[in-house]
Amino acid sequence: MRLEAITWDRLADQLADRLLALEPADGSVWPRVAVDGAPAARPGELAERVAEALRVRGRPSLVVDTEGFLRPASLRLEHGRRDVESYYGGWFDTSALWREVFTPLDPGGDGRVLPDLWDPVADRATRSSYVQLPPGGVLLLHGPFLLRHWFPFDLTVHLLLSPGALRRHTPESGHWTLPAFERYTSETDPAGTADVLVRADDPRHPAWTG
């Protein structure tokens, strides 16, 4: 696989330009983009950069973090605080993401998206207001394991970390999650299935497939 060195700012500009011409295949008027990656790869930072690049091009967008759709601690931690199976398959409320984020952006939807649902620190509902995403506005959803849920993305970006880099950039307190990412790689092959692959082993020098 051939990768080309790039800066984060240039990468955001290139992705924003690509999104300006992107038309959803299902007839929706809202392009839906995944910025997929482990927390150590900082997918939220790239999503925010792309949102800013879209803003200066006159295109609205909405950045949504899957951390805002964690399930309550009573469900998330039912099998313990370091249960890999739960982290991989049960921490994120995918039903709420479908209901509050994707369904409003379906063809014929009303574009009213809930940007977050649950505060994991306070362990209570955020009570955030709905955001009206105008036609043409881009959804930028970021977080881990996004490509295993059949979400209707129109463009998928995967931030790739080698196993060694993932371990180095993950705080020691989070090393228990590493087997979940090994399983994700084995079962989903995000590097092989994403539309855009970004290698982020060295956060100062990313490279991408173009």
Side-chain angles (χ1 to χ4, degrees):
M1 184 180 301
R2 185 175 180 274
L3 295 171
E4 173 188 345
I6 196 169
T7 66
W8 290 111
D9 285 339
R10 271 192 58 223
L11 175 61
D13 285 338
Q14 294 277 354
L15 290 173
D17 287 340
R18 183 167 176 175
L19 289 172
L20 292 180
L22 181 65
E23 295 187 6
D26 65 358
S28 172
V29 295
W30 298 280
R32 295 144 297 189
V33 179
V35 184
D36 176 64
R42 302 177 181 177
E45 293 185 9
L46 178 57
E48 293 288 354
R49 286 177 185 268
V50 174
E52 175 59 18
L54 287 168
R55 185 190 67 78
V56 301
R57 289 163 172 75
R59 179 66 64 87
S61 65
L62 177 64
V63 176
V64 175
D65 183 353
T66 57
E67 285 284 321
F69 287 86
L70 286 173
R71 301 172 77 200
S74 60
L75 300 175
R76 197 169 72 246
L77 308 178
E78 181 180 4
H79 301 289
R81 293 183 175 275
R82 296 191 171 193
D83 186 82
V84 175
E85 183 69 27
S86 294
Y87 178 65
Y88 185 63
W91 273 40
F92 298 95
D93 192 342
T94 53
S95 294
L97 282 166
W98 276 105
R99 181 180 68 251
E100 304 292 357
V101 177
F102 287 102
T103 298
L105 304 181
D106 281 343
D110 61 12
R112 293 180 71 248
V113 175
L114 189 66
D116 53 59
L117 181 65
W118 198 258
D119 181 341
V121 176
D123 196 34
R124 59 176 174 79
T126 58
R127 299 179 181 174
S128 295
S129 299
Y130 284 86
V131 175
Q132 184 70 52
L133 192 61
V138 179
L139 170 70
L140 295 160
L141 180 67
H142 66 86
F145 313 134
L146 292 181
L147 306 188
R148 63 181 294 264
H149 298 297
W150 300 99
F151 290 141
F153 293 118
D154 302 297
L155 183 74
T156 55
V157 180
H158 176 65
L159 297 179
L160 175 66
L161 292 174
S162 68
L166 177 60
R167 176 170 289 272
R168 287 195 305 275
H169 296 307
T170 299
E172 188 173 348
S173 61
H175 281 184
W176 67 272
T177 66
L178 299 181
F181 294 102
E182 293 174 10
R183 180 176 172 185
Y184 182 51
T185 297
S186 174
E187 293 184 352
T188 306
D189 185 24
T193 57
D195 298 311
V196 177
L197 177 65
V198 181
R199 180 173 284 280
D201 284 2
D202 183 344
R204 300 166 299 176
H205 304 291
W208 77 317
T209 50

